[in-house]
């Protein structure tokens, strides 16, 4: 995909008009229009100005593939930002592209290998593990019963994103009073997935640390928290 299409689709994803982006980037509107149509090839200086106006790093522009309508990234934009920001601090971050979805960052959506971070001779591998057992109610009716470790496809039919999931979820068996209090919409969960981390010596392949992460269930936060990675290394990587 050439740079003009990437710029156009990223702009569409951000719900900006050509005029808004051109103005924010301090670029002539007619010239900007020619860039998006592929009639003019922008210099690197202009690409940087456009990226600055979209508040992204230029590297991010080339790390995603949006759909034809520019509405969805195949690589979560927050994932892209995390990769870039860690790269700038000499930490190599890899995400399993098939496992990371827009607006779904809690471990409850996922099962299996999420991704890794590498710093010098140590690697930090993140997994989601466990089993989701629960019942989802909508308008006082059961719409979904789950007892599986991989529930994304089923759950996404009824819940759109993390924010909605957190409003619905109750870590308890079914309770009639709670359901009434929540207006008939609740997700009663008795078992859940969690995040596990492995610290590996990249030279020998030795697993130095393998345990549950208790601080967060947000997969993006784990990769954005370099201090956590270094703590694992210095506390366990002796």
């Amino acid at each position: 995909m050439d740079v003009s299409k990437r710029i156009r689709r990223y702009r569409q994803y951000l719900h900006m008009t050509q005029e808004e982006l051109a103005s924010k980037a301090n670029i002539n509107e007619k010239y900007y229009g020619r860039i998006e149509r592929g009639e003019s090839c922008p210099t690197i200086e202009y690409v940087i100005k456009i990226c600055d106006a979209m508040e992204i790093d230029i590297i991010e522009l080339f790390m995603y593939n949006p759909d034809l309508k520019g509405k969805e990234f195949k690589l979560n934009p927050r994932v892209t930002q995390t990769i870039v920001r860690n790269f700038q601090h000499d930490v190599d971050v890899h995400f399993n592209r098939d496992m990371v979805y827009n607006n779904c960052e809690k471990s409850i959506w996922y099962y299996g290998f999420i991704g890794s971070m590498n710093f010098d001779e140590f690697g930090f591998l993140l997994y989601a593990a466990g089993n989701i057992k629960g019942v989802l109610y909508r308008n006082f009716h059961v719409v979904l019963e789950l007892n599986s470790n991989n529930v994304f496809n089923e759950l996404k039919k009824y819940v759109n994103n993390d924010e909605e999931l957190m409003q619905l979820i109750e870590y308890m068996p079914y309770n009639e009073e709670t359901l009434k209090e929540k207006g008939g919409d609740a997700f009663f969960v008795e078992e859940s997935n969690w995040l596990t981390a492995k610290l590996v010596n990249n030279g020998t392949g030795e697993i130095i640390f393998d345990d549950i992460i208790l601080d967060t269930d947000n997969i993006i936060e784990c990769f954005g928290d370099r201090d956590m990675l270094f703590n694992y290394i210095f506390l366990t990587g002796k």
Side-chain angles (χ1 to χ4, degrees):
M1 185 187 299
D2 62 38
V3 67
S4 62
K5 291 180 180 178
R6 289 181 178 277
I7 290 172
R8 181 178 74 249
R9 293 183 184 175
Y10 215 126
R11 173 185 61 76
Q12 291 171 337
Y13 178 82
L14 296 174
H15 303 294
M16 298 177 71
T17 65
Q18 286 191 10
E19 293 77 13
E20 289 171 340
L21 184 52
S23 175
K24 192 172 180 181
N26 196 26
I27 297 175
N28 179 276
E29 289 183 15
K30 291 184 179 179
Y31 177 63
Y32 179 82
R34 292 199 298 272
I35 291 175
E36 281 207 4
R37 293 191 296 273
E39 297 171 359
S40 294
C41 183
T43 63
I44 187 65
E45 289 79 10
Y46 274 100
V47 174
I48 290 174
K49 289 176 69 174
I50 291 169
C51 288
D52 287 344
M54 292 191 292
E55 299 181 5
I56 64 172
D57 190 287
I58 189 171
I59 299 174
E60 295 176 41
L61 190 65
F62 298 93
M63 291 186 67
Y64 77 95
N65 285 311
D67 67 12
L68 294 178
K69 296 181 181 179
K71 292 183 178 180
E72 181 178 352
F73 287 84
K74 291 183 180 177
L75 185 60
N76 185 319
R78 282 199 64 197
V79 171
T80 302
Q81 293 167 6
T82 301
I83 291 173
V84 170
R85 288 166 186 167
N86 278 278
F87 177 74
Q88 293 168 344
H89 290 81
D90 297 320
V91 178
D92 179 27
V93 175
H94 164 76
F95 278 90
N96 181 354
R97 286 172 177 255
D98 297 330
M99 280 282 291
V100 182
Y101 304 95
N102 284 335
N103 302 313
C104 298
E105 297 170 5
K106 299 290 185 180
S107 59
I108 196 169
W109 298 99
Y110 301 106
Y111 180 76
F113 175 65
I114 301 295
S116 62
M117 300 172 68
N118 284 283
F119 176 76
D120 291 340
E121 70 268 31
F122 293 104
F124 172 82
L125 285 70
L126 190 72
Y127 297 82
N131 188 76
I132 306 294
K133 182 179 180 181
V135 181
L136 176 63
Y137 286 79
R138 287 295 203 180
N139 196 25
F140 294 97
H141 295 289
V142 175
V143 295
L144 183 64
E145 294 185 58
L146 294 171
N147 190 6
S148 173
N149 52 30
N150 194 346
V151 300
F152 178 84
N153 289 328
E154 292 81 7
L155 191 57
K156 199 66 170 65
K157 295 174 184 177
Y158 302 97
V159 184
N160 295 313
N161 50 49
D162 272 354
E163 183 179 0
E164 187 177 346
L165 180 64
M166 292 303 102
Q167 291 174 349
L168 291 169
I169 202 162
E170 295 288 339
Y171 288 99
M172 60 188 296
Y174 167 76
N175 182 279
E176 185 176 359
E177 290 301 316
T178 301
L179 184 60
K180 289 179 180 178
E181 290 173 3
K182 296 178 74 71
D185 297 323
F187 184 26
F188 294 100
V189 175
E190 298 183 58
E191 298 176 15
S192 182
N193 286 354
W194 56 81
L195 294 176
T196 65
K198 292 183 180 180
L199 184 65
V200 180
N201 184 313
N202 289 331
T204 65
E206 177 189 3
I207 297 176
I208 301 168
F209 175 87
D210 185 356
D211 205 352
I212 297 172
I213 297 177
L214 299 176
D215 297 340
T216 181
D217 65 350
N218 187 302
I219 62 173
I220 308 298
E221 286 180 0
C222 289
F223 290 98
D225 190 346
R226 287 179 295 275
D227 289 339
M228 182 183 68
L229 169 64
F230 297 149
N231 284 338
Y232 279 121
I233 292 173
F234 295 131
L235 292 176
T236 62
K238 298 177 181 178

